[in-house]
Amino acid sequence: MNSNKKIKYLKNKVPSKDKVNFTEFFIHLFFLILSFISILKCKITKIKTCNYSISLPKTKGGIDFRGRYITDHLDFKKSINFFRSTSSLNSIMLYIRYPNVVFFLSIRYFANITNKSKLKNYSKDLRTQNFLKKIFEYLKIRKFISIDDQRVINLFLNICKQLKIKSLGYMHYRFNKKYEKIRYNAFDTFFVWSKYFKKRLIRINKQYIDKNIVICGVKNKKFKKTKKKIDALFVWDLESNLARLGNLIKYLNSKSNIAIKFKPSSQIDEKKLLIFFKENNILYFQNKSFSDIRNKYYISYFLGCSTTALYEACLYDALPIIIRNNSSIAKEIVSEGIIKSTKINFKKISKIIKIKPSQEKIKIQRKKIWGNTIYNKKIILKNL
């Protein structure tokens, strides 16, 4: 097993029914033991609040930045803290940085280690849910706080309904019809960024009409003055494809100042991309935040195929452009008409990004998506 596979030990699958990878087994066992230590500690200290968060790879045990507007106000010492982490090194850092850590993927691994059901996915979720429910019952959990991770959220919300636990959730990405699981259950209280996202949430899940939806607002961002500029920052997302976009990127790079930004949790084959960018002298950012980039460069446009970052472009003094593609998310974004869209037309895109967007257009874009609500710490604390 190479070093990359050893680090990325936690995979989005259950153990094979025919054989068990012993390296994977013992790594999961190690993190399960650490999890049980946390559970016993929380039982002794009578902790009755549970928190679920995501920790992205390469963050040294950091919490998903998209949920920081809530997690910055949580007292992790007073809750048991489930983390989804796909890196063993990152998981160790989590255990050092935060108290009462439980590793969700190791819980799921052992909940399914003897799973031989033909209905693998359904059985996997049910077994994981039953395992989690026993932990919640053992600790007598009364409040559950979670990022809206559609991969697992129904497992936790089912338990909350069964055990009558108060549930609070907070958004970290644009609500899309593609993610069907967000239609099935609803948090008692849900934190959203703006009225636009509140409307989208209710449109997808009518259960939220009767729930407490809290609009948090958005912080006003201030950036350093800079003379350096990027005409277009291409945010590389799951729908980005080098075979489809490579020639466009080379063309734009020859005519304008462009750059590429990877997602922090990128699981794509970065080596192939990095070789392409280096060979064509294209600027790219692997582990930089949008704020880091904006403090160094003035950005005119965000380009992307489906990323939520397109909605954030106006927060960084830029306008978004979505490149039309066949993904359901992209089609949904295009159909709304809020974000400018274009086909892969080399000359047209090049012409657009050469023109600096006006502040008036950026203000209009911001109002459509983010409204006038300023980030409100008091209303968050009041509802937590």
Side-chain angles (χ1 to χ4, degrees):
M1 180 179 287
N2 62 36
S3 58
N4 287 334
K5 288 185 179 178
K6 285 181 181 178
I7 291 176
K8 292 186 177 179
Y9 74 105
L10 294 170
K11 302 174 184 178
N12 292 322
K13 63 179 182 180
V14 295
S16 168
K17 65 180 180 181
D18 300 317
K19 60 181 180 180
V20 173
N21 181 310
F22 284 102
T23 301
E24 189 176 47
F25 174 86
F26 284 111
I27 293 174
H28 275 294
L29 180 61
F30 171 70
F31 287 108
L32 183 72
I33 291 170
L34 292 181
S35 298
F36 280 160
I37 291 172
S38 295
I39 292 168
L40 288 171
K41 180 183 173 183
C42 290
K43 180 66 174 178
I44 293 169
T45 54
K46 298 182 180 179
I47 284 175
K48 301 186 185 302
T49 297
C50 178
N51 171 53
Y52 171 85
S53 303
I54 300 171
S55 181
L56 301 175
K58 306 173 186 175
T59 60
K60 298 180 181 179
I63 296 179
D64 193 324
F65 66 94
R66 294 166 293 184
R68 291 286 301 274
Y69 68 104
I70 297 296
T71 57
D72 282 350
H73 305 301
L74 300 179
D75 187 347
F76 288 92
K77 292 180 181 179
K78 295 182 179 180
S79 63
I80 186 163
N81 306 303
F82 283 76
F83 283 100
R84 182 188 183 91
S85 171
T86 57
S87 159
S88 58
L89 179 60
N90 197 59
S91 296
I92 290 170
M93 293 299 293
L94 272 171
Y95 204 80
I96 293 171
R97 289 182 64 174
Y98 293 96
N100 311 327
V101 172
V102 175
F103 299 99
F104 173 81
L105 292 179
S106 290
I107 294 290
R108 189 178 70 168
Y109 178 91
F110 279 98
N112 288 277
I113 199 164
T114 59
N115 188 356
K116 296 182 180 180
S117 172
K118 292 181 180 179
L119 300 172
K120 198 76 169 182
N121 288 333
Y122 173 77
S123 178
K124 176 182 68 176
D125 286 347
L126 188 59
R127 280 169 168 255
T128 304
Q129 181 178 304
N130 289 337
F131 200 137
L132 292 169
K133 184 179 178 181
K134 289 177 182 178
I135 296 172
F136 276 47
E137 287 177 322
Y138 177 68
L139 295 176
K140 297 180 180 178
I141 296 298
R142 289 292 171 262
K143 184 163 74 170
F144 174 66
I145 306 170
S146 176
I147 196 167
D148 61 335
D149 184 351
Q150 61 93 25
R151 295 167 295 190
V152 302
I153 204 57
N154 282 308
L155 304 181
F156 286 106
L157 289 181
N158 285 338
I159 294 169
C160 288
K161 279 186 177 181
Q162 293 168 12
L163 301 181
K164 297 181 180 179
I165 296 169
K166 180 182 179 182
S167 60
L168 299 90
Y170 51 96
M171 71 176 295
H172 79 295
Y173 66 98
R174 177 185 181 275
F175 308 117
N176 302 298
K177 292 179 181 178
K178 176 185 177 181
Y179 302 133
E180 292 186 0
K181 291 183 179 179
I182 66 172
R183 300 180 184 182
Y184 302 144
N185 281 305
F187 288 95
D188 297 318
T189 295
F190 199 92
F191 297 91
V192 298
W193 294 328
S194 69
K195 288 182 180 180
Y196 164 78
F197 292 107
K198 176 180 177 178
K199 289 177 181 177
R200 281 208 57 80
L201 177 63
I202 293 174
R203 194 180 306 157
I204 292 173
N205 187 340
K206 294 294 190 293
Q207 295 179 65
Y208 278 106
I209 293 173
D210 301 319
K211 300 295 183 179
N212 179 31
I213 301 178
V214 181
I215 298 172
C216 300
V218 61
K219 291 181 180 180
N220 283 323
K221 299 180 184 292
K222 294 182 180 180
F223 306 107
K224 296 177 182 177
K225 291 183 179 180
T226 178
K227 292 182 180 180
K228 294 181 179 181
K229 71 168 186 173
I230 293 174
D231 295 317
L233 180 66
F234 202 114
V235 186
W236 204 263
D237 54 40
L238 296 175
E239 304 300 333
S240 301
N241 183 291
L242 186 58
R244 179 170 172 264
L245 300 171
N247 288 333
L248 171 64
I249 290 170
K250 283 198 291 185
Y251 180 83
L252 294 179
N253 192 53
S254 69
K255 301 292 183 180
S256 311
N257 296 320
I258 71 163
I260 313 294
K261 184 190 181 302
F262 291 124
K263 290 182 64 178
S265 59
S266 178
Q267 302 293 323
I268 56 179
D269 184 6
E270 291 183 359
K271 288 183 179 179
K272 187 176 179 181
L273 280 171
L274 294 181
I275 291 171
F276 173 81
F277 296 147
K278 288 175 182 178
E279 285 180 347
N280 292 280
N281 197 30
I282 297 168
L283 179 65
Y284 63 88
F285 305 99
Q286 281 183 284
N287 299 307
K288 297 288 185 182
S289 68
F290 288 114
S291 291
D292 291 336
I293 300 170
R294 178 61 186 84
N295 278 321
K296 194 171 182 180
Y297 300 90
Y298 176 83
I299 306 167
S300 293
Y301 295 90
F302 279 27
L303 292 177
C305 294
S306 66
T307 175
T308 301
L310 293 171
Y311 289 83
E312 300 177 58
C314 54
L315 302 179
Y316 299 92
D317 307 318
L319 284 181
I321 301 172
I322 183 168
I323 296 176
R324 294 176 203 165
N325 59 84
N326 291 324
S327 78
S328 59
I329 295 176
K331 289 178 180 178
E332 192 175 343
I333 293 173
V334 171
S335 68
E336 279 189 316
I338 291 178
I339 291 177
K340 186 180 182 66
S341 66
T342 180
K343 294 180 180 178
I344 299 180
N345 184 315
F346 291 16
K347 291 183 178 180
K348 181 181 178 181
I349 296 174
S350 179
K351 185 178 179 180
I352 291 171
I353 66 175
K354 282 182 179 179
I355 302 171
K356 183 179 177 180
S358 69
Q359 287 301 308
E360 185 61 28
K361 285 185 177 180
I362 293 171
K363 286 180 181 178
I364 292 171
Q365 184 78 24
R366 177 168 177 147
K367 190 170 183 180
K368 285 180 182 178
I369 300 170
W370 301 96
N372 297 316
T373 306
I374 304 300
Y375 181 72
N376 193 329
K377 178 181 175 180
K378 289 183 179 179
I379 198 170
I380 292 173
L381 294 174
K382 181 180 177 181
N383 285 276
L384 276 176

